[in-house]
Amino acid sequence: MPKVLLLHTGGTLGMAGGRPSALRPSAFFRTLKARAPELFRLADIELELFSNLDSSEMQPELWSRMAAHLHRRLLDFDGAVVTHGTDTLAYTASALSFMLRGLPRPVVLTGSQRPLGEIRSDARLNLIDSVLSALNGPREVTLCFDSHLYRGNRTRKVKVAEYDAFESPNFPVLGTLGVDATFEPGLRPRGSFRVYERLDPRVFLLKVFPGLDPALPLALLPHVRGLVLEAYGAGNFPIDPSLGRSLRPLFTQARERGIPIVVVSQAYRNGVDLTLYEAGAAALEEGAIGGGDLTPSAAMVKLMQALAYHPSPEALRRFIQTPIAGELTVGRPPPPVEPRKRGRKSNPR
Ligand code: ASP
């Protein structure tokens, strides 16, 4: 019988109704044995309680502990499943994918929109699919949800109250668990299995919006060590000094204070190209780092790790722009899903 480690961290999946009708963490393992006994026919499952938290309480220190724990235990199993709340699941998936390098076994994260104890819960199927993915899926950190397996660091939570809560907008699915379960090969393991658990969480995510005062962010953030800037579209933001809100001074100040800025896009699909518009070119002149098609959450976690391991500006830039777990598309981005309409310019340049 294959062996799977099931590490529970919390989330709706393991919750029960509380006062007056709020969900709160509950005795998950008892419910699991009662509601999903077939799981234990698929594999010899070792249950471990890591924490019992709503995932809004998940923090970088806990990612580090989780990664170290998985690093210690994973080789005793054929794969691992981590149950987790959906709210910060994309962050934790990114963190584990950057911390566990040369992963020798699949690590599958999952959660659910309704608690396991409820009649119409999606937890049972998500758990079964996750165990199957831990046994047959690619050896990387993935997220299994609503019959699909995604590369963890490419995911976004896209829905609050529907079962298909996750997508990986810039990367194809790694598995489909329909009538048949099919899996892609995924990442090829590189090097020996190691854990990089250090992070510097003194980062900030700043979204560009009309009206943003360029002097405000750094004045408000005296201790910040790195910024992820969610720019418009392909990496755009105000740059015209005559209109009073050019963000150029923000980039200049950040460079002078040694604060790296990683630019990602507010748009859901595709990524930034800082060579495309005047604003991006100015950002590059000021030393900003184009984050390509990194999701904002993957960029945040990667910047935390970069500051902890590669703080010098050039090394940090290289680290951010080199994929370590398939989180980033290098070279030409993949073609758009919908074919472009005939007659429309395909490239504004
Ligand atoms: N608030 C919950 C959590 O992230 C939501 C969920 O699990 O779906 O822990």
Side-chain angles (χ1 to χ4, degrees), residues 10-13 15 53-56 84-88 112-113 157:
T12 297
L13 181 135
M15 290 189 184
L53 298 171
D54 185 292
S55 79
S56 52
H84 194 287
T86 59
D87 288 341
T88 62
S112 69
Q113 294 287 64
K157 180 170 174 176

Side-chain angles (χ1 to χ4, degrees), residues 179-201:
V179 174
D180 297 315
T182 55
F183 298 99
E184 298 299 322
L187 293 170
R188 244 182 296 131
R190 273 185 299 169
S192 54
F193 183 31
R194 296 187 60 182
V195 62
Y196 292 77
E197 73 260 64
R198 288 203 324 264
L199 296 168
D200 185 340

Side-chain angles (χ1 to χ4, degrees), residues 85-217:
T86 59
D87 288 341
T88 62
L89 192 44
Y91 284 96
T92 300
S94 297
L96 292 180
S97 79
F98 301 148
M99 289 175 156
L100 296 169
R101 312 264 184 90
L103 203 62
R105 311 270 193 270
V107 172
V108 185
L109 283 84
T110 195
S112 69
Q113 294 287 64
R114 279 178 169 270
L116 180 62
E118 290 189 4
I119 292 176
R120 292 191 57 252
S121 175
D122 50 335
R124 185 176 155 274
L125 191 58
N126 285 350
L127 281 164
I128 291 172
D129 287 347
S130 297
V131 169
L132 280 177
S133 303
L135 295 175
N136 306 298
R139 283 176 286 173
E140 56 176 284
V141 177
T142 54
L143 194 162
C144 186
F145 219 89
D146 192 46
S147 306
H148 292 92
L149 188 71
Y150 305 97
R151 176 161 295 162
N153 55 35
R154 292 285 195 156
T155 55
R156 284 175 179 245
K157 180 170 174 176
V158 293
K159 291 177 190 172
V160 175
E162 289 165 59
Y163 288 134
D164 51 345
F166 285 89
E167 286 177 9
S168 61
N170 284 325
F171 198 75
V173 295
L174 287 173
T176 307
L177 296 110
V179 174
D180 297 315
T182 55
F183 298 99
E184 298 299 322
L187 293 170
R188 244 182 296 131
R190 273 185 299 169
S192 54
F193 183 31
R194 296 187 60 182
V195 62
Y196 292 77
E197 73 260 64
R198 288 203 324 264
L199 296 168
D200 185 340
R202 288 172 292 175
V203 298
F204 200 83
L205 179 63
L206 178 65
K207 189 166 187 145
V208 179
F209 59 92
L212 173 61
D213 175 350
L216 213 56

Side-chain angles (χ1 to χ4, degrees), residues 156-158 169-170 205-212 228-238 247 250-251 262-274 290-297 299:
R156 284 175 179 245
K157 180 170 174 176
V158 293
N170 284 325
L205 179 63
L206 178 65
K207 189 166 187 145
V208 179
F209 59 92
L212 173 61
V228 172
L229 186 83
E230 261 193 47
Y232 302 132
N236 217 355
F237 48 83
L247 290 195
L250 168 68
F251 284 92
V262 180
V263 183
V264 296
S265 181
Q266 295 178 13
Y268 170 74
R269 252 184 75 78
N270 315 126
V272 302
D273 173 358
L274 296 185
D293 62 357
L294 281 172
T295 63
S297 45

